[in-house]
């Protein structure tokens, strides 16, 4: 019997993954897959919640995301990679949970509120987007995940999931669902290469795992530093200086980075030298991922076969949870 | 190949069925099952939308409703009787449709608005209740039903379903979903035996298909007539006179009822005589249903086996629709 703690993570397949995902989640998943029973959910249905009229975007990005996973080092023998739409139990649990969550409660969810505002939905808000915390609770509980890695902006989702767990368990003769805990990443969100707090494809300030040597070079060269640091001898600021933020996130030698920061603040360390150091580090990080990724993406049917395989395993697990919930509620199970 | 037109109807299993259901739908289904490919959906999930905290009520009423169906003459060899919760395609289609329907649109649905007001939900409205037009559209379209028998209060649901059909088909390379038409019952809604426009268990003004001879006698005796019709020789009103409404709904001899009405309006026909005529008619209608029902309800496991059987057939059909929709959207189908 598997006694490892279950962890669920995932991504909406809305585009290839980038360094922000690498720092925020991919790197962590690679580290966690040895010690946890890890599931990674390719959330294609959640991808459709705000791409309902452009389903091709979601379809096309599924193999891209799979190639990113493998390139980053996620091992399908250790991590179950599965597709949300291939798991009917998730939709069925969502339907059941929707009856015990009020509209007022989801409207009050701070994560949903923010995202609605960000996406400028107003009156055109799709019903699926409003109920997506409920769908997320279905995902988490279907796998009986105990740990869910999230950014701090997603904490209200975990809180809402646990409310649903509590309420649903109270309706059952014996508890079936498991409470979950957030696992906060120790790296804060990686800014875009232009210094914008949000890294996103639409802003053109990302570096993908497939970025070429030249793309990396240009991105680092153009990177935002301290606009007042004009001469090498000038003292410079490291706070808000994207080059140092990236060095903190990616450089293996923390002592060296600390020494560079001290020298930069004092004066005497030029932007060019810092950028060279960062570029070497990023080139070394990305090159092997880029190469692996190029191989994987050539055979999309093999990537999809891997996804099918993981989905079959996930189907068994999520069906078992659904069956327990239904039996507890007295819903006939044929 | 089956060339019969497909018709979908159903009931929420929230209580045994009564004469209102008999007049409004059961009788019609028995007549239609010869000429249509008829599906009757036991909508247990929709029953939970406003009974989320009392699932036992839904569970207990499933065999009651099945017994009513058979007692009324629905033939499982001609009509496919199936369980909503046993058909994952319905939940999955609901999830897909929720992305192309705005919250504003479901809030504007007059049927939903009325029912929210009737049930007094206000801020405690469950999310599942708000999205139930979308779930109903999933039901109808999963079966590719072309005809849906409804009361006129449900016409906005059909309109919303057709909007979803139109929108979803426009996202697919070729249309998959079928538009549907409402089939309005030619009998208007049967009032309660007390004259209340709404017949409902909570008002205690129903007659169930299992009503005993004595219960029928008492109900007819206490039935609301014309309060100003004091003496047999007085002219009486037939409008709003529940005895005549029931005679219209149930008496086989329309000419006889017309003659009775004329005599009643003129004066010379007493309430007692009218009630006797009605009682004979209701006793004759209900007695065989009551007897059949008593036999069926004794073997709940056989009723559930019949439901399982119908659900398996319905599963094939609804999965086929789901697969077509997914393939059209480019959602991977493993």
């Amino acid at each position: 019997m598997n006694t490892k703690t279950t962890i669920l993570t995932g991504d909406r397949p809305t585009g290839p993954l980038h360094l922000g995902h690498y720092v925020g989640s991919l790197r962590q998943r690679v580290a966690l897959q040895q010690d946890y029973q890890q599931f990674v959910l390719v959330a294609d249905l959640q991808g459709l919640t705000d791409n309902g009229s452009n389903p091709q975007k979601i379809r096309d990005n599924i193999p891209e995301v799979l190639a990113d996973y493998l390139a980053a080092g996620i091992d399908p023998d250790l991590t179950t990679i599965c597709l949300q739409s291939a798991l009917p139990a998730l939709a069925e649990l969502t339907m059941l949970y929707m009856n015990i969550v009020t509209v007022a409660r989801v409207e009050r969810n701070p994560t949903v509120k923010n995202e609605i505002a960000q996406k400028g939905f107003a009156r055109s808000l799709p019903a699926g987007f409003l109920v997506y915390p409920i769908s997320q609770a279905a995902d988490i509980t279907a796998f009986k995940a105990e740990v869910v890695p999230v950014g701090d902006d997603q904490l209200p989702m975990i809180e809402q999931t646990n409310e649903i767990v509590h309420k649903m368990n109270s309706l059952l003769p014996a508890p079936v669902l498991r409470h979950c805990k957030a696992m906060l990443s120790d790296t804060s969100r990686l800014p875009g290469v232009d210094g914008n707090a949000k890294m996103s494809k639409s802003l053109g300030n990302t570096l993908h795992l497939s970025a070429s040597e030249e793309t990396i070079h240009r991105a680092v060269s153009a990177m935002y530093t301290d606009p007042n640091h004009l001469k090498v001898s000038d003292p410079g600021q490291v706070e808000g200086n994207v080059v140092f933020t990236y060095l903190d996130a990616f450089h293996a030698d923390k002592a060296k980075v600390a020494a560079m920061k001290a020298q930069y603040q004092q004066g005497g360390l030029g932007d060019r030298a810092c950028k060279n150091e960062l570029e070497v580090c990023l080139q070394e990080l990305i090159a092997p991922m880029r190469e692996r990724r190029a191989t994987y993406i050539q055979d999309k049917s093999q990537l999809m076969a891997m996804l099918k395989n993981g989905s079959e395993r996930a189907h068994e697990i999520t069906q078992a949870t659904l069956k327990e919930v239904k039996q507890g509620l007295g819903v006939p199970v044929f």
Side-chain angles (χ1 to χ4, degrees), chain A:
Chain A
M1 197 189 149
N2 196 332
T3 54
K4 290 180 178 174
T5 302
T6 300
I7 194 163
L8 177 73
T9 70
D11 299 282
R12 294 158 31 109
T14 52
L17 304 182
H18 52 59
L19 281 186
H21 298 107
Y22 181 79
V23 165
S25 61
L26 294 176
R27 194 164 59 171
Q28 190 187 36
R29 291 177 197 170
V30 175
L32 292 170
Q33 66 186 347
Q34 299 286 348
D35 300 324
Y36 287 84
Q37 181 180 29
Q38 181 167 258
F39 295 91
V40 174
L41 188 66
V42 178
D44 59 338
L45 292 181
Q46 244 158 59
L48 287 170
T49 54
D50 55 344
N51 292 284
S53 301
N54 185 14
Q56 183 160 357
K57 177 179 162 189
I58 303 302
R59 168 183 51 198
D60 293 345
N61 280 303
I62 293 173
E64 299 296 330
V65 167
L66 296 176
D68 287 328
Y69 287 164
L70 299 185
I74 294 178
D75 177 351
D77 289 335
L78 295 173
T79 294
T80 304
I81 304 174
C82 52
L83 185 68
Q84 193 178 34
S85 68
L87 305 175
L90 306 183
E92 294 187 70
L93 286 172
T94 302
M95 294 297 287
L96 291 170
Y97 297 170
M98 279 204 291
N99 300 329
I100 56 165
V101 179
T102 65
V103 173
R105 178 63 184 88
V106 281
E107 284 174 344
R108 221 165 51 223
N109 184 309
T111 312
V112 175
K113 266 176 144 169
N114 285 340
E115 292 186 0
I116 288 172
Q118 270 171 29
K119 290 176 194 276
F121 276 131
R123 294 295 289 166
S124 65
L125 177 70
F129 199 86
L130 181 66
V131 305
Y132 115 76
I134 304 175
S135 156
Q136 215 161 62
D139 298 342
I140 294 169
T141 55
F143 286 95
K144 299 198 175 172
E146 294 157 273
V147 175
V148 185
V150 289
D152 51 9
D153 57 329
Q154 298 289 314
L155 287 175
M157 302 302 247
I158 302 296
E159 190 186 328
Q160 179 141 28
T161 297
N162 283 328
E163 272 179 37
I164 291 173
V165 168
H166 179 78
K167 172 83 189 200
M168 185 52 81
N169 278 344
S170 76
L171 296 175
L172 307 175
V176 166
L177 304 179
R178 238 180 229 169
H179 284 85
C180 62
K181 274 189 308 202
M183 178 187 272
L184 286 170
S185 172
D186 51 2
T187 316
S188 52
R189 194 177 284 269
L190 195 69
V193 295
D194 59 353
N196 192 308
K198 194 173 159 62
M199 180 182 262
S200 89
K201 202 170 57 170
S202 54
L203 296 172
N205 61 2
T206 62
L207 274 174
H208 289 132
L209 305 194
S210 60
S212 70
E213 217 179 318
E214 179 58 23
T215 304
I216 297 168
H217 174 70
R218 275 198 222 147
V220 175
S221 300
M223 211 170 241
Y224 184 84
T225 57
D226 172 1
N228 299 315
H229 184 245
L230 300 174
K231 289 185 292 181
V232 172
S233 55
D234 286 347
Q237 278 236 322
V238 299
E239 292 80 19
N241 185 321
V242 182
V243 174
F244 282 102
T245 310
Y246 274 57
L247 282 168
D248 276 337
F250 295 105
H251 204 292
D253 187 345
K254 301 295 166 208
K256 182 163 187 182
V257 175
M260 285 173 67
K261 282 184 181 172
Q263 199 189 345
Y264 192 85
Q265 287 170 313
Q266 244 181 0
L269 181 59
D271 282 357
R272 173 54 35 216
C274 299
K275 286 183 171 179
N276 284 346
E277 187 72 27
L278 176 62
E279 190 188 329
V280 168
C281 159
L282 289 183
Q283 295 286 10
E284 278 175 6
L285 173 73
I286 293 181
M289 292 202 282
R290 180 177 60 230
E291 282 164 35
R292 287 196 295 264
R293 194 184 189 289
T295 309
Y296 291 128
I297 200 69
Q298 271 172 17
D299 192 349
K300 291 186 182 171
S301 66
Q302 198 180 325
L303 290 171
M304 295 306 283
M306 174 195 77
L307 186 62
K308 176 174 192 274
N309 197 36
S311 300
E312 279 163 4
R313 181 167 142 64
H315 183 63
E316 271 181 45
I317 292 165
T318 53
Q319 284 296 121
T321 305
L322 174 65
K323 189 175 174 184
E324 282 182 275
V325 170
K326 278 184 163 184
Q327 283 174 334
L329 288 173
V331 173
V333 176
F334 294 135

